[in-house]
Amino acid sequence: MIEIKNLTFAYQGRDKPTLRDLNLMVKKREFVLLTGPTGCGKTTLLKALNGLIPHESTGIMEGSVIVAGNDTKRYPMRELTQKVGLVFQSPDDQIFSTKVEDEVAFGPENLCFQQEDIERSIDYALKAVGLSEFRNRATASLSGGEKQRLAIASVLAMHPQVLALDEPFSQMDGKGTKEVLEVIRKLNRDGMTIILVEHRIPAVFRLVSRIVIMEGGRIVLDEDKEKACMRQDIFRRLGLWFPKGSGLDELLPKFLFACPKHFLINLRLASGDSKTRLPGSSSWNRKSSTSIRFISKKRFDDDSKKSLFGQQPVDIGQQEHNEKSVCNGVNCPVSKPDPTIVLEAKDIYFRYEKKDGFVLQGASLQIRRGEIVALLGDNGTGKSTLLLHFAAILKPEKGMVEILGKDSRNLNSVKLAGKVGVVFQNPNLMLFRNTVNEEVEFGPRALKFSSHKLSGLVSETLKALAISNLRDEIPLSLSNGQRLRVATASIASMQPEIFLLDEPTQGQDRVHVESLMNYLKMKSSEGAALLFITHNLDVALRYADRILFMNGGRIVENV
Amino acid sequence: MFKAREIAEPDTGHTFIHNMDPRAKIILLFAMAVLVVSVDNEKILFFLLLVPLLAYPIAGLSRNKYWIAFIFLAIGLWGTIFSQALFYKEWPRSIVLILIPREFPVLGKITGGLYVYKEGFFYGLIQGLRFSAMTASGLLLCWTTEPQKMLLGLVRLRIPYRIAFMVVTAIRFLPILLAEIFTVIEAQKLKGFNPLTIKGLFRGVMNTLTPVLANSVRRAGVLAASVESRAFRAYPIRTYLKDLRYNAFDAGITAIFLIGSLSIATIKILYGLYAREILYISALRWVYEIGRNL
């Protein structure tokens, strides 16, 4: 289906080529996982498949890309778009219509399909992604998973033979990921060739047939998935999530022997499996509580550990068939030296508009000094809204939030500067200075730290987050992982007592997540409290003292 | 994370204003533009402002949209009146308020005195009413027209598809842009710098623009790649799933407004020619009389 021969591509104005002498063959109906560290050329390779390179990108291309027998250099975009459908990372950046059917119709309209053919294409595409009933819905009303399915439908409407997806799950919760994975799996079963770029390798491992790893514009591994698993050296070297023997496997023994009391959580809960009933939801009942099982340490032996985790990958797509469970990591809520409560929400209710329903409905929690707390839950359950309450950016309509012992109604962001540090979901929006150094010293300067203290703090923070070598770089020109660390450094340099992070693991390589979380763990050991939102259960289990699950605007589980 | 989308997203409704052909609405907006440019009488301009405002409840717009319109109109009207009242340069002009007397040390010498002029106030009021009438009408158009219909309307009015697409897409992404601006402002506040103060305003604007523009460029790149991947501009023409229907009501109302606005513009032109002693036709004295009062 796809034959790439000696492909080299250099973007205009760049010294080094992004793709170097790359060779790849993909057979019809194959499901290929394309992965590699940030900036290795995965997205560029996808663009070369559907003709964006060379037709719509300026640069020098050598070699050839042949898709379904057509050389992409010779065929125009309008024909190539019907061979390869390309879906991008963030559905919000690609969906521009306000109605579902208008979005799906865009491609067929551009290809001058007749009205009845456009109708047929919309029907086919929406059916393929399970959105037939959403045809007349507003795109803004869709959930994250539904939006990504819509993005897939909008390329399927052009009837491509290959579907290429560029990190489609990076901004999605477990439920959304599962929805989209099911769609992709079904399309593959129906005969479509799939090329998936994804960082979260364990999440998709079971579905793919082959793993291709890129580094520096070259392919460094191209094997069937089982054989690829034998090459853990490559995954480790490139800082990728392990497909097998992942963090959870390594973590379990530590947990089992370190925690005085522990628990097993059905992975369904994290993946948002619709069959799973969450406590607090209308469908919750006593029987459902079996999905969360608390098992004492004594009941485990080595065999049971192996049977639960063994060498199995953490596979979100498999959860509907599998009752695998995982446990909280090395940092169970063992007794902490400082019981001081720094953040407290007391039965809070919040809605953005009077006409809307409540986003937070009786959320209550306490966080102590030095504690690391992970907040999990599906998109739209109120996690970010709750986080913003702890920075006094939002105030509750009912109930009370106390930040460092003070009522949040008497506080605001400026008053909390230096005490509460927030890393927003998109760290790019926190980077506004010309150099990394300026960025990191911005906060301490605004807070009028002495120059002696300031320079020491800045150097220390840059060093701790391994970005000292970037101090003269422009923050926004850095890689994803580097930008996240700079954003974190810019708040850490103010020495806040509380860190709030909104999905710091999103779209990050394992190595970047680990370096960031290790740093925050160090700050926690110094007394800072950390609350972070994540969809990555592995990270939550590995680093958090407590895991909170949100559903329907409140904390439904605190373990 | 903030409800900024209220500003740009249309209200879903099925009133006759929503159901009007977007071409008719665009033509009405054009007619309004001709009217507000032609008319100098503040009472008539105020009436022209009331026309779209009265249509808001008929269209059943949400309360938030009223607030947004109010903020836009208040800022536009106040800003224009105040700036014109202060910096009015024409003669004659009469001072109604002295802000900084000419004799005031330093500032008086630098500025030559700062006064509020009565004529400037009325001149600003007229300009402000023109601006407000157009803003209110433009918001009504955006809030009662689905982007896809707007796109099709512009295309059917012979605007090139690429340009129409750009216009509509820009409106679509405006709420996201605003939400990002709010986030950057909060990020600065949490770093101890408040950009919403007079002291911090300039630096705050620069700090805010940098990440927001960088993100917009990145988003534009993704959107461009996405639409190109869906055969955007594949052919010089394209087909459409839906088409527009220009019914008798649309035709009637646009005809009335177009004829009315062009008539008033013609009367004002004739009056202008007469007032400047370029053209005088005695049979048109009644026209000059109307023109004088408009």
Side-chain angles (χ1 to χ4, degrees):
Chain A
M1 178 57 73
I2 295 170
E3 191 177 0
I4 299 172
K5 285 184 189 166
N6 307 320
L7 178 64
T8 298
F9 181 77
Y11 285 103
Q12 196 172 38
R14 291 207 191 155
D15 301 336
K16 294 176 184 171
T18 305
L19 300 177
R20 300 173 192 207
D21 202 23
L22 192 143
N23 291 284
L24 179 69
M25 285 193 49
V26 179
K27 291 177 198 157
K28 198 174 178 184
R29 296 186 171 206
E30 256 194 306
F31 193 143
V32 177
L33 170 65
L34 180 62
T35 191
T38 311
C40 68
K42 303 180 294 287
T43 302
T44 305
L45 179 57
L46 291 192
K47 286 181 178 175
L49 295 180
N50 82 334
L52 278 174
I53 291 173
H55 296 297
E56 302 295 338
S57 301
T58 48
I60 300 164
M61 176 180 164
E62 288 170 16
S64 63
V65 178
I66 295 166
V67 180
N70 300 326
D71 188 333
T72 57
K73 270 185 189 168
R74 292 183 193 163
Y75 282 80
M77 277 293 291
R78 60 174 174 260
E79 296 203 14
L80 294 170
T81 54
Q82 293 176 81
K83 305 285 181 213
V84 181
L86 183 51
V87 178
F88 294 87
Q89 195 171 351
S90 162
D92 282 322
D93 289 348
Q94 28 185 336
I95 294 172
F96 52 84
S97 302
T98 50
K99 256 190 175 177
V100 167
E101 69 171 359
D102 293 335
E103 187 67 24
V104 184
F106 181 74
E109 286 174 335
N110 287 331
L111 291 169
C112 290
F113 285 17
Q114 291 306 307
Q115 208 163 13
E116 55 270 29
D117 292 331
I118 297 173
E119 292 277 2
R120 267 198 290 272
S121 297
I122 295 171
D123 288 341
Y124 154 74
L126 289 178
K127 191 178 173 193
V129 300
L131 288 179
S132 293
E133 289 168 16
F134 293 68
R135 184 170 173 149
N136 291 311
R137 283 268 295 270
T139 52
S141 71
L142 303 181
S143 69
E146 287 162 355
K147 280 182 183 169
Q148 196 59 281
R149 280 152 66 194
L150 173 60
I152 294 172
S154 67
V155 298
L156 288 182
M158 296 186 294
H159 305 281
Q161 295 167 29
V162 178
L163 183 63
L165 303 107
D166 191 0
E167 297 190 46
F169 317 118
S170 66
Q171 297 178 18
M172 237 171 256
D173 57 13
K175 185 180 177 186
T177 302
K178 187 168 175 294
E179 282 173 17
V180 177
L181 271 175
E182 275 176 8
V183 166
I184 298 169
R185 178 163 53 186
K186 184 172 168 291
L187 289 168
N188 184 235
R189 276 186 194 154
D190 293 346
M192 188 167 281
T193 309
I194 308 283
I195 298 176
L196 173 67
V197 168
E198 184 55 47
H199 278 287
R200 287 160 63 183
I201 302 168
V204 298
F205 180 80
R206 198 177 67 85
L207 302 182
V208 304
S209 52
R210 218 169 112 196
I211 296 180
V212 174
I213 299 181
M214 288 180 70
E215 182 191 14
R218 290 195 175 93
I219 289 174
V220 292
L221 179 88
D222 180 1
E223 296 280 7
D224 286 345
K225 65 174 178 181
E226 295 303 334
K227 284 184 185 169
C229 286
M230 315 294 268
R231 302 296 308 275
Q232 289 209 0
D233 55 320
I234 293 182
F235 288 89
R236 187 169 284 112
R237 180 168 60 81
L238 298 178
L240 304 174
W241 300 98
F242 299 108
K244 284 190 173 185
S246 72
L248 288 176
D249 302 345
E250 295 167 5
L251 198 63
L252 183 69
K254 288 182 197 171
F255 165 74
L256 286 170
F257 297 106
C259 300
K261 179 184 172 186
H262 48 269
F263 48 86
L264 294 174
I265 303 158
N266 190 322
L267 268 176
R268 273 185 187 168
L269 193 63
S271 74
D273 188 332
S274 57
K275 290 172 189 169
T276 303
R277 306 287 185 257
L278 284 168
S281 69
S282 56
S283 49
W284 166 259
N285 57 42
R286 295 299 300 169
K287 275 187 181 176
S288 305
S289 65
T290 53
S291 65
I292 301 173
R293 290 170 290 168
F294 295 83
I295 301 172
S296 78
K297 179 183 169 184
K298 292 174 194 167
R299 290 174 58 186
F300 281 98
D301 56 20
D302 288 346
D303 290 341
S304 64
K305 277 177 255 168
K306 197 162 187 177
S307 66
L308 285 165
F309 293 95
Q311 291 302 307
Q312 293 303 308
V314 182
D315 178 355
I316 293 172
Q318 197 175 358
Q319 286 148 25
E320 62 186 308
H321 307 297
N322 197 338
E323 287 289 319
K324 281 187 308 183
S325 301
V326 292
C327 83
N328 187 2
V330 290
N331 303 306
C332 277
V334 290
S335 59
K336 286 273 174 181
D338 192 342
T340 316
I341 293 167
V342 289
L343 289 176
E344 185 167 17
K346 294 176 185 169
D347 197 27
I348 60 171
Y349 284 76
F350 176 82
R351 56 186 163 181
Y352 285 94
E353 304 288 342
K354 291 278 181 201
K355 63 178 182 182
D356 296 344
F358 282 99
V359 179
L360 296 180
Q361 301 182 56
S364 297
L365 78 148
Q366 294 178 337
I367 296 175
R368 291 177 165 75
R369 195 176 295 283
E371 201 177 14
I372 302 180
V373 178
L375 185 56
L376 278 78
D378 288 342
N379 289 341
T381 49
K383 302 184 299 296
S384 295
T385 305
L386 181 61
L387 194 96
L388 294 175
H389 275 80
F390 287 135
I393 294 171
L394 299 176
K395 310 284 168 66
E397 194 172 315
K398 284 189 234 168
M400 193 162 124
V401 172
E402 283 188 356
I403 304 165
L404 295 165
K406 290 181 182 165
D407 188 336
S408 73
R409 279 171 289 210
N410 304 322
L411 298 168
N412 58 42
S413 319
V414 180
K415 283 182 184 169
L416 288 174
K419 297 185 181 84
V420 176
V422 183
V423 178
F424 291 104
Q425 201 168 3
N426 181 354
N428 296 356
L429 299 175
M430 301 176 62
L431 306 175
F432 36 79
R433 303 307 299 161
N434 294 328
T435 65
V436 169
N437 201 67
E438 279 181 35
E439 197 70 66
V440 178
E441 64 181 27
F442 183 87
R445 266 191 200 286
L447 294 173
K448 302 200 181 343
F449 282 25
S450 70
S451 57
H452 175 68
K453 189 180 176 187
L454 187 142
S455 64
L457 264 176
V458 170
S459 300
E460 186 189 306
T461 312
L462 289 171
K463 194 177 166 192
L465 281 156
I467 47 174
S468 294
N469 56 327
L470 305 172
R471 63 191 313 156
D472 296 322
E473 300 286 331
I474 302 167
L476 285 166
S477 70
L478 302 175
S479 74
N480 254 347
Q482 290 167 338
R483 285 199 299 263
L484 176 65
R485 277 180 288 157
V486 173
T488 308
S490 73
I491 62 153
S493 61
M494 295 183 288
Q495 296 187 304
E497 294 171 59
I498 299 161
F499 284 86
L500 305 172
L501 289 91
D502 197 347
E503 300 196 31
T505 56
Q506 192 178 82
Q508 299 287 336
D509 296 331
R510 177 179 60 83
V511 69
H512 291 136
V513 172
E514 282 180 359
S515 102
L516 176 71
M517 295 307 294
N518 286 334
Y519 171 75
L520 292 168
K521 196 170 176 179
M522 185 189 81
K523 299 306 286 182
S524 153
S525 68
E526 293 169 7
L530 166 64
L531 173 66
F532 70 101
I533 295 173
T534 185
H535 292 308
N536 191 323
L537 189 58
D538 193 358
V539 172
L541 291 169
R542 187 181 287 259
Y543 291 98
D545 299 326
R546 272 194 299 147
I547 299 179
L548 310 177
F549 290 96
M550 268 194 96
N551 190 33
R554 57 184 152 161
I555 307 292
V556 291
E557 200 58 54
N558 182 345
V559 286
Chain B
M1 93 189 180
F2 296 95
K3 285 274 179 179
R5 66 174 33 157
E6 277 281 344
I7 295 172
E9 276 191 359
D11 267 5
T12 48
H14 297 285
T15 66
F16 80 91
I17 298 175
H18 286 89
N19 294 335
M20 275 175 74
D21 189 300
R23 286 169 292 186
K25 293 187 208 175
I26 294 168
I27 291 169
L28 291 181
L29 189 67
F30 170 75
M32 178 63 89
V34 171
L35 280 172
V36 296
V37 169
S38 306
V39 171
D40 294 319
N41 185 312
E42 62 270 16
K43 286 174 191 158
I44 298 175
L45 281 169
F46 182 69
F47 172 75
L48 290 176
L49 168 62
L50 283 183
V51 172
L53 289 180
L54 288 172
Y56 283 30
I58 297 170
L61 296 179
S62 65
R63 196 194 302 174
N64 281 337
K65 287 199 161 45
Y66 282 92
W67 272 112
I68 293 161
F70 174 76
I71 291 166
F72 275 127
L73 299 183
I75 291 172
L77 204 56
W78 182 83
T80 320
I81 292 172
F82 191 66
S83 62
Q84 292 300 327
L86 280 181
F87 304 111
Y88 187 70
K89 295 289 178 197
E90 302 296 317
W91 296 91
R93 55 184 184 182
S94 39
I95 296 169
V96 290
L97 184 67
I98 300 171
L99 294 178
I100 301 173
R102 195 189 299 271
E103 303 77 31
F104 194 82
V106 188
L107 278 178
K109 280 191 177 175
I110 293 170
T111 58
L114 203 54
Y115 310 103
V116 174
Y117 299 103
K118 182 183 166 189
E119 291 77 7
F121 177 88
F122 281 104
Y123 182 72
L125 179 66
I126 289 167
Q127 301 303 330
L129 286 170
R130 284 181 172 140
F131 168 82
S132 302
M134 283 312 295
T135 304
S137 306
L139 289 175
L140 182 66
L141 169 70
C142 290
W143 287 341
T144 59
T145 313
E146 278 178 36
Q148 214 62 22
K149 281 187 179 174
M150 178 91 86
L151 175 72
L152 200 50
L154 289 168
V155 170
R156 293 282 183 258
L157 287 169
R158 310 256 177 215
I159 305 290
Y161 178 74
R162 289 177 204 187
I163 294 170
F165 180 80
M166 278 192 285
V167 170
V168 172
T169 308
I171 295 171
R172 157 75 178 83
F173 283 97
L174 191 63
I176 295 173
L177 196 74
L178 289 167
E180 288 182 350
I181 288 172
F182 287 129
T183 305
V184 179
I185 289 170
E186 288 301 332
Q188 291 176 75
K189 285 182 179 175
L190 283 163
K191 288 182 186 178
F193 175 76
N194 190 350
L196 302 179
T197 58
I198 294 171
K199 194 180 161 193
L201 196 60
F202 178 74
R203 196 174 170 205
V205 168
M206 298 310 290
N207 285 346
T208 308
L209 283 180
T210 307
V212 169
L213 288 178
N215 231 29
S216 299
V217 170
R218 185 199 56 76
R219 185 179 303 106
V222 174
L223 181 66
S226 174
V227 297
E228 297 292 357
S229 298
R230 285 184 274 165
F232 183 60
R233 302 178 301 173
Y235 296 97
I237 55 156
R238 72 198 291 274
T239 51
Y240 295 92
L241 171 65
K242 297 167 188 167
D243 215 342
L244 300 173
R245 278 179 42 216
Y246 204 82
N247 59 30
F249 175 77
D250 297 325
I253 198 161
T254 49
I256 291 167
F257 267 79
L258 266 183
I259 292 167
S261 62
L262 292 175
S263 305
I264 288 172
T266 308
I267 291 169
K268 284 299 282 188
I269 290 167
L270 288 171
Y271 174 72
L273 292 172
Y274 154 71
R276 285 167 182 74
E277 298 181 354
I278 296 169
L279 177 69
Y280 174 74
I281 301 167
S282 60
L284 295 179
R285 275 181 294 177
W286 65 275
V287 173
Y288 301 145
E289 190 54 34
I290 295 171
R292 192 195 315 278
N293 294 317
L294 282 174

